[in-house]
Amino acid sequence: MRGRPRLFPPFPSGLQGRRRELAALASLFKPGEPSKIALVGAGGSGKSILACALGYRVRRRFPGGLHWFRAGPWDAGTLIEMFAIRFGTSRDRRSRLPRLRQFLRSQGPALIVLDNLENDRAVATILNELRNAPTSWLLTARRCLLAGVDVFPVVAPHSTGGTGSFPRVRLLTRLLRHSPLALDIADGLVRSEATTVQALRAWLLDRGVDCIRVVAHEDDVPEVSLLVDWAWGRLNLAQRRILAVLAHTDGDHIDARSLLALSRVPRQGDRALARLQDWRLVQSPLPGRYALHAVVRCAVAGRTRFSQERFLRHYLTLLENAPERLDLEQTHLYAAMDYAHTVARLDSILRIDRLLAALS
């Protein structure tokens, strides 16, 4: 897979103030020496954007291509199967690792990004099993408990120097704790003329953005949650339904047709999506596919509900009718499989087994 990477995100448009970090990280990739690097930082600090930009910066060093996977909570077996589907190698349990090693060696140096690492044990297994391939690995994680990788801390750009990376909303830089995600959303709100920076600052202060509070977990970021609160009161029903679908999927990004079908807003979908993108609430990691940042997802999930049964029915039917889409939709299939086992849906488990058998 040479040339422009397949299923690798486009160059990030929201990259701000990362010149030094990119140069430092690029220097860690040495010819003939596969690297294992973990970008570690708080939710919304810009790890994924930095990983994507770095991939484009060093892509000429990797004739075997750039490849992007969401690691998430998946176990080693599921990750290996994801690789096998992407690279077209054997998915048979006994031969998939040898064939995967053979493929990676035949392709030459490649860079694989494992985004949003949550299962350290699974990734340790993968890196050890494939350690003899000429593959470099780039991980993004809120925390990383792996020895043997180079850990690179990611903080908000310019935060240590006291300057801002988003000129349009510079007045909010310190108030939003230099958070790239929060500032990007605020910039979208002001740029779209939904509000002014002065009005938004007054609203945030009135809601206690400058107060200290205990957070529930890494994705509970008050600055972002408050901006979602501001937007939520100004969104229509169609836009809220779209956000609910994206907040409750256990899979990865969703294509426009599936998103509008699941949210039941086909007539208003294009306009609704456009507003959500203008306000930077919805991201597009691949052309025509949509997702929420984990921190935005956390803020939206707390105020919405969505049936996992509907995801199960939708993606099983979709892949039965269009099996060639498995690579793009594989995380949705694995999420459906987990749900079917959790609720003991034997009929769905059998459908998934038949589907996987037919795709092998």
Side-chain angles (χ1 to χ4, degrees), residues 1-9 56 65-69 83-88 103 286 324 327-328:
M1 298 181 184
R2 301 178 186 274
R4 187 176 177 82
R6 185 172 68 95
L7 296 186
F8 197 88
Y56 281 93
L66 309 182
H67 310 284
W68 188 282
F69 295 87
F83 297 157
I85 292 169
R86 174 71 53 83
F87 300 134
F103 172 83
L286 291 173
E324 70 278 2
D327 190 8
L328 278 169

Side-chain angles (χ1 to χ4, degrees), residues 168-169 186-195 278 280:
R168 189 180 287 108
V169 291
D187 183 78
L189 298 176
V190 173
R191 184 177 185 276
S192 65
E193 299 183 348
T195 185
D278 285 345
R280 319 276 171 78

Side-chain angles (χ1 to χ4, degrees), residues 256-301:
R257 173 177 268 183
S258 290
L259 179 55
L260 299 182
L262 287 163
S263 59
R264 294 175 176 165
V265 290
R267 293 183 181 178
Q268 308 170 58
D270 291 341
R271 282 193 299 173
L273 266 173
R275 169 58 63 88
L276 294 171
Q277 286 186 284
D278 285 345
W279 288 6
R280 319 276 171 78
L281 295 174
V282 168
Q283 300 177 339
S284 183
L286 291 173
R289 299 186 68 88
Y290 304 93
L292 299 185
H293 189 285
V295 174
V296 175
R297 176 195 291 246
C298 171
V300 173

Side-chain angles (χ1 to χ4, degrees), residues 232 237-265 273 276 282 290-292 297 300-301 303-308 310-311 314-315 332:
W232 191 262
L237 181 61
Q239 292 157 347
R240 292 181 178 186
R241 285 180 173 177
I242 289 171
L243 289 177
V245 171
L246 293 172
H248 290 280
T249 178
D250 289 329
D252 214 335
H253 39 70
I254 301 179
D255 73 292
R257 173 177 268 183
S258 290
L259 179 55
L260 299 182
L262 287 163
S263 59
R264 294 175 176 165
V265 290
L273 266 173
L276 294 171
V282 168
Y290 304 93
L292 299 185
R297 176 195 291 246
V300 173
R303 61 176 73 239
T304 58
R305 291 184 297 175
F306 195 83
S307 169
Q308 293 299 313
R310 286 181 59 196
F311 284 122
H314 178 85
Y315 281 104
H332 296 292

Side-chain angles (χ1 to χ4, degrees), residues 21-318:
E21 289 98 325
L22 282 171
L25 286 164
S27 70
L28 298 178
F29 293 98
K30 309 292 185 183
E33 299 179 16
S35 301
K36 299 176 182 66
I37 301 169
L39 305 182
V40 179
S45 59
K47 302 180 295 295
S48 298
I49 285 180
L50 185 57
C52 181
L54 179 61
Y56 281 93
R57 178 155 183 153
V58 300
R59 66 188 183 277
R60 292 178 182 172
R61 306 179 199 179
F62 295 103
L66 309 182
H67 310 284
W68 188 282
F69 295 87
R70 183 173 73 89
W74 307 117
D75 61 22
T78 301
L79 286 173
I80 291 169
E81 188 161 8
M82 287 180 177
F83 297 157
I85 292 169
R86 174 71 53 83
F87 300 134
T89 56
S90 173
R91 294 171 54 219
D92 177 77
R93 288 185 178 274
R94 289 173 295 181
S95 62
R96 61 188 182 183
L97 266 173
R99 295 295 174 82
L100 185 57
R101 290 190 198 100
Q102 182 181 15
F103 172 83
L104 292 173
R105 288 172 186 154
S106 70
Q107 294 297 295
L111 174 64
I112 296 180
V113 177
L114 296 181
D115 189 36
N116 193 27
L117 164 64
E118 296 179 36
N119 189 331
D120 293 288
R121 190 177 299 277
V123 172
T125 298
I126 295 291
L127 298 186
N128 284 325
E129 291 288 354
L130 300 176
R131 64 184 178 277
N132 293 325
T135 303
S136 289
W137 300 85
L138 183 59
L139 320 175
T140 74
R142 297 175 194 85
R143 58 100 180 96
C144 180
L145 301 179
L146 296 174
V149 304
D150 294 319
V151 175
F152 191 96
V154 178
V155 297
H158 299 318
S159 59
T160 56
T163 58
S165 299
F166 292 81
R168 189 180 287 108
V169 291
R170 183 175 287 112
L171 184 64
L172 304 178
T173 299
R174 291 190 63 187
L175 199 64
L176 296 177
R177 319 297 199 271
H178 289 263
S179 165
L181 178 61
L183 288 166
D184 188 46
I185 295 172
D187 183 78
L189 298 176
V190 173
R191 184 177 185 276
S192 65
E193 299 183 348
T195 185
T196 65
V197 67
Q198 293 83 3
L200 186 56
R201 184 177 189 276
W203 188 93
L204 289 167
L205 285 169
D206 185 60
R207 297 309 190 278
V209 70
D210 55 342
C211 294
I212 306 299
R213 75 172 180 87
V214 177
V215 298
H217 47 72
E218 294 95 333
D219 287 335
D220 179 17
V221 179
E223 296 82 21
V224 173
S225 182
L226 279 173
L227 290 167
V228 171
D229 285 345
W230 185 96
W232 191 262
R234 294 158 177 82
L235 296 176
N236 61 33
L237 181 61
Q239 292 157 347
R240 292 181 178 186
R241 285 180 173 177
I242 289 171
L243 289 177
V245 171
L246 293 172
H248 290 280
T249 178
D250 289 329
D252 214 335
H253 39 70
I254 301 179
D255 73 292
R257 173 177 268 183
S258 290
L259 179 55
L260 299 182
L262 287 163
S263 59
R264 294 175 176 165
V265 290
R267 293 183 181 178
Q268 308 170 58
D270 291 341
R271 282 193 299 173
L273 266 173
R275 169 58 63 88
L276 294 171
Q277 286 186 284
D278 285 345
W279 288 6
R280 319 276 171 78
L281 295 174
V282 168
Q283 300 177 339
S284 183
L286 291 173
R289 299 186 68 88
Y290 304 93
L292 299 185
H293 189 285
V295 174
V296 175
R297 176 195 291 246
C298 171
V300 173
R303 61 176 73 239
T304 58
R305 291 184 297 175
F306 195 83
S307 169
Q308 293 299 313
E309 185 73 23
R310 286 181 59 196
F311 284 122
L312 173 71
R313 292 198 305 267
H314 178 85
Y315 281 104
L316 267 181
T317 301
L318 175 66

